[in-house]
């Protein structure tokens, strides 16, 4: 259920970014459901990017949301700033990355657009949970497929410390703070996750 998912994502947002002044970017904002929910919760500094002109215009004209029309891979051209105060605390996307052609460029850009200590919060379909012809047909329209292990490795490759992954498949990755230097791959996985075999689907969320 899309509304339940949006509610879950907002609940997670309030845990990873309790400060209502946090700068939040929604990538693939769609019709603005997540941003509107964040706005209703009291978040003040929210922006989005959406490739569909129709959907982004809906966000601007009907919801008064700051949503730019553009592709995910080009988000850094729209939002990147040399000023730390204009970098983001959270970059969120919900069922978007499976449609992105150049995922490496997108993640590289997200890393640069985050403040040190900022987080990415992504949700994508879990390929492992494909159990029927109906769910298989859902996956056939996607450019790429993810499992918990592949998603963890992908974020680690781009320098994120993974602090949460579960079988829904939602994942949270943290950009190390400026005084942190992480060159050990194991340290790019939060301590509470290191003992879990990546072949296991469910990992317990801890904040």
């Amino acid at each position: 259920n899309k509304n339940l998912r949006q509610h879950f994502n907002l609940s997670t947002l309030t845990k990873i970014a309790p400060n209502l002044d946090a700068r939040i970017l929604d990538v693939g904002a769609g019709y603005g459901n997540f941003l509107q929910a964040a706005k209703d919760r009291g978040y003040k500094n929210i922006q989005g990017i959406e490739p569909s002109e129709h959907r982004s215009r809906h966000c601007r004209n009907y919801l008064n949301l700051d949503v730019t029309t553009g592709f995910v891979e080009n988000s850094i051209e729209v939002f990147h700033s040399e000023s730390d105060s204009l970098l983001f605390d959270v970059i969120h996307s919900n069922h978007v990355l499976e449609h992105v052609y150049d995922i490496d460029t997108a993640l590289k850009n997200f890393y640069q657009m985050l403040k040190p200590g900022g987080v990415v919060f992504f949700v994508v379909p879990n390929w492992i949970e494909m159990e029927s012809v109906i769910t298989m047909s859902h996956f056939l329209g996607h450019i790429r497929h993810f499992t918990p292990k592949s998603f963890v490795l992908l974020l680690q490759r781009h320098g994120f410390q993974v602090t949460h992954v579960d079988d829904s498949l939602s994942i949270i990755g943290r950009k190390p703070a400026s005084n942190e230097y992480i060159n050990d791959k194991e340290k790019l996985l939060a301590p509470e996750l290191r003992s879990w075999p990546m072949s296991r689907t469910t990992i317990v969320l801890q904040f």
Side-chain angles (χ1 to χ4, degrees):
N1 183 292
K2 192 170 185 178
N3 290 331
L4 287 176
R5 165 52 64 188
Q6 292 295 346
H7 174 76
F8 171 79
N9 287 7
L10 183 63
S11 173
T12 303
L13 175 66
T14 60
K15 294 174 185 174
I16 60 179
N19 186 347
L20 296 179
D21 289 322
R23 295 200 72 236
I24 297 161
L25 175 65
D26 189 23
V27 175
Y31 287 104
N33 295 338
F34 177 78
L35 287 176
Q36 184 61 53
K39 182 179 178 181
D40 291 344
R41 183 59 65 93
Y43 287 95
K44 305 176 185 70
N45 300 309
I46 54 176
Q47 293 176 278
I49 186 167
E50 165 57 42
S52 163
E53 172 61 34
H54 170 71
R55 293 179 181 183
S56 61
R57 189 168 58 244
H58 172 88
C59 292
R60 293 189 297 270
N61 295 348
Y62 294 99
L63 300 177
N64 197 28
L65 294 171
D66 183 0
V67 175
T68 301
T69 305
F71 290 102
V72 171
E73 296 93 330
N74 301 333
S75 55
I76 195 167
E77 298 171 14
V78 178
F79 298 108
H80 181 59
S81 172
E82 296 300 327
S83 168
D84 282 355
S85 64
L86 295 179
L87 297 175
F88 292 98
D89 296 287
V90 178
I91 297 178
H92 164 271
S93 78
N94 184 51
H95 284 238
V96 170
L97 297 185
E98 65 272 19
H99 301 283
V100 174
Y101 283 98
D102 191 348
I103 191 72
D104 287 305
T105 294
L107 288 171
K108 179 182 177 182
N109 290 345
F110 295 158
Y111 191 90
Q112 294 181 54
M113 292 159 61
L114 275 179
K115 293 178 182 178
V119 299
V120 288
F121 171 30
F122 302 138
V123 182
V124 295
N126 186 349
W127 179 250
I128 289 177
E129 293 192 326
M130 185 182 67
E131 295 175 350
S132 69
V133 173
I134 295 176
T135 51
M136 183 181 291
S137 66
H138 172 72
F139 280 100
L140 290 177
H142 296 163
I143 294 168
R144 63 187 71 255
H145 307 293
F146 298 99
T147 65
K149 180 177 181 179
S150 70
F151 212 0
V152 165
L153 293 175
L154 180 63
L155 261 67
Q156 286 179 323
R157 189 167 82 237
H158 287 276
F160 292 100
Q161 182 186 41
V162 177
T163 60
H164 163 68
V165 62
D166 63 27
D167 56 2
S168 54
L169 205 169
S170 69
I171 192 166
I172 296 170
R174 175 180 169 273
K175 178 178 179 177
S178 2
N179 60 351
E180 293 179 273
Y181 178 67
I182 300 178
N183 58 4
D184 181 346
K185 185 176 178 182
E186 184 182 78
K187 291 180 181 176
L188 288 175
L189 199 60
E192 64 270 17
L193 301 185
R194 290 175 197 164
S195 61
W196 288 77
M198 282 293 103
S199 58
R200 181 165 177 167
T201 318
T202 303
I203 294 177
V204 178
L205 169 61
Q206 294 186 27
F207 289 100

